[in-house]
Amino acid sequence: MPIPISNQSLSVSVETPKEVEVFPGRFERRYFLRGSLCSIAAAAMIGALPNRVLTQQPDKQIPTNDGGLAWDDFIKLSIPTAQQLIADPGFSIDEYLYRIGSLATRLKEIPNSPLGSYASVDRRVWFGPSFRGSPFFIIQWRMEPGAYLPPHNHPNASVCTVGYEGEVRLRNFEILGEAPAYDSKKTFRLRETRDETLTHARINTLSPSRDNIHCFRVGKEGARGIDINTMHGKIAPFSFLDMSDKPVDAEDRIFEATWNPQLGQPPAKKA
């Protein structure tokens, strides 16, 4: 599904668009900047949604009475800020994430975007695009009570997750040493780096080099929020992980895991 983009207002160079396979059987046209259009993880999740969800448009805004930024104002402010940061020779991913995230904490509304159930992982998890643009795009998520989105990576990507409604437990991990290939069942180790409760206007960030694996677990209330996704290099494979519940080293919060790249993928087409 091509993502429309205007190059007229960009302050960074944009290469010729390329067709890339975001996961087996799904191709998208991508414009590559120093920070590109989307996270491969989000692309894989979107690909599992019905086409009718992806082609719909948000039909209204959901306001609150606590002041702050309307959605359109947030986009108008954040895009030039993001482009300016990316164009800076001293570009810092963390500065980028927290500058955009600080604007997102002021949101008084998010679009009532059509969402689709991520049924191949957990039917209680819902995703849908709320903004397509450059240098980032935004995925909205809603998780019903008890929902669980397993650990997954974001290769060469940064993500700023912003809570909007409810509470979700969000944990981050980093791989220790060299991870095996995605098609390997070899066990490797992770260190838990963050374990926090995300509520309204709170953010969680990850970059290609830190906290790059995360997972979501929702309690009795359910939760809703957005992920602001940016690529910072070559698109690489996305995968979920199978991870042990108990740490192998409780003091240092170290867990064992294996890749599970098949989880969440569309079923193979019959010949």
Side-chain angles (χ1 to χ4, degrees):
M1 176 181 61
I3 300 177
I5 178 174
S6 170
N7 297 335
Q8 296 178 355
S9 62
L10 296 182
S11 58
V12 293
S13 60
V14 182
E15 297 179 1
T16 302
K18 300 176 182 179
E19 291 288 332
V20 295
E21 188 173 18
V22 295
F23 61 80
R26 182 174 182 82
F27 293 83
E28 291 188 0
R29 175 173 291 187
R30 295 288 172 82
Y31 293 75
F32 290 92
L33 312 177
R34 196 151 122 202
S36 186
L37 291 180
C38 68
S39 155
I40 189 66
M45 292 175 182
I46 293 175
L49 303 179
N51 286 335
R52 60 179 175 79
V53 172
L54 298 178
T55 56
Q56 294 182 61
Q57 298 297 320
D59 51 32
K60 63 178 182 178
Q61 304 288 334
I62 302 176
T64 63
N65 296 318
D66 58 357
L69 287 175
W71 180 260
D72 288 346
D73 293 332
F74 164 68
I75 297 299
K76 290 176 183 178
L77 285 171
S78 60
I79 290 295
T81 299
Q83 291 171 347
Q84 182 179 15
L85 289 168
I86 286 177
D88 188 336
F91 175 66
S92 163
I93 292 180
D94 283 339
E95 180 185 7
Y96 171 85
L97 287 167
Y98 284 103
R99 288 278 296 277
I100 303 306
S102 67
L103 290 172
T105 64
R106 297 170 55 195
L107 280 167
K108 66 177 182 179
E109 58 188 25
I110 60 177
N112 188 23
S113 304
L115 308 181
S117 172
Y118 201 5
S120 57
V121 176
D122 187 328
R123 293 182 180 277
R124 298 166 296 182
V125 175
W126 298 72
F127 284 101
S130 286
F131 173 75
R132 303 180 181 93
S134 175
F136 60 75
F137 93 132
I138 300 174
I139 295 300
Q140 185 173 156
W141 48 265
R142 178 171 61 83
M143 300 186 190
E144 298 174 11
Y148 179 58
L149 185 63
H152 54 279
N153 67 344
H154 299 79
N156 295 332
S158 69
V159 181
C160 178
T161 299
V162 187
Y164 185 70
E165 292 177 345
E167 295 185 356
V168 58
R169 181 187 182 190
L170 186 52
R171 301 166 69 193
N172 294 77
F173 303 85
E174 293 178 7
I175 296 173
L176 297 175
E178 293 292 328
Y182 289 104
D183 58 358
S184 169
K185 282 299 181 183
K186 184 178 179 181
T187 299
F188 56 96
R189 292 191 169 190
L190 310 168
R191 173 177 285 120
E192 184 181 38
T193 53
R194 301 176 74 173
D195 183 352
E196 58 194 16
T197 300
L198 203 68
T199 57
H200 177 75
R202 292 189 176 183
I203 66 173
N204 173 283
T205 66
L206 62 83
S207 78
S209 61
R210 63 156 181 83
D211 307 326
N212 191 260
I213 293 167
H214 67 186
C215 65
F216 296 70
R217 187 179 293 278
V218 178
K220 297 180 180 180
E221 183 179 355
R224 182 165 165 247
I226 58 173
D227 281 356
I228 304 170
N229 305 272
T230 310
M231 283 297 295
H232 301 279
K234 182 180 178 181
I235 291 178
F238 159 82
S239 180
F240 282 98
L241 292 81
D242 293 327
M243 190 181 74
S244 60
D245 292 330
K246 294 183 178 180
V248 295
D249 184 333
E251 183 175 354
D252 287 337
R253 297 189 295 179
I254 295 174
F255 296 78
E256 289 189 335
T258 57
W259 295 119
N260 185 356
Q262 298 307 313
L263 181 61
Q265 296 295 321
K269 293 183 179 180
K270 295 182 179 179

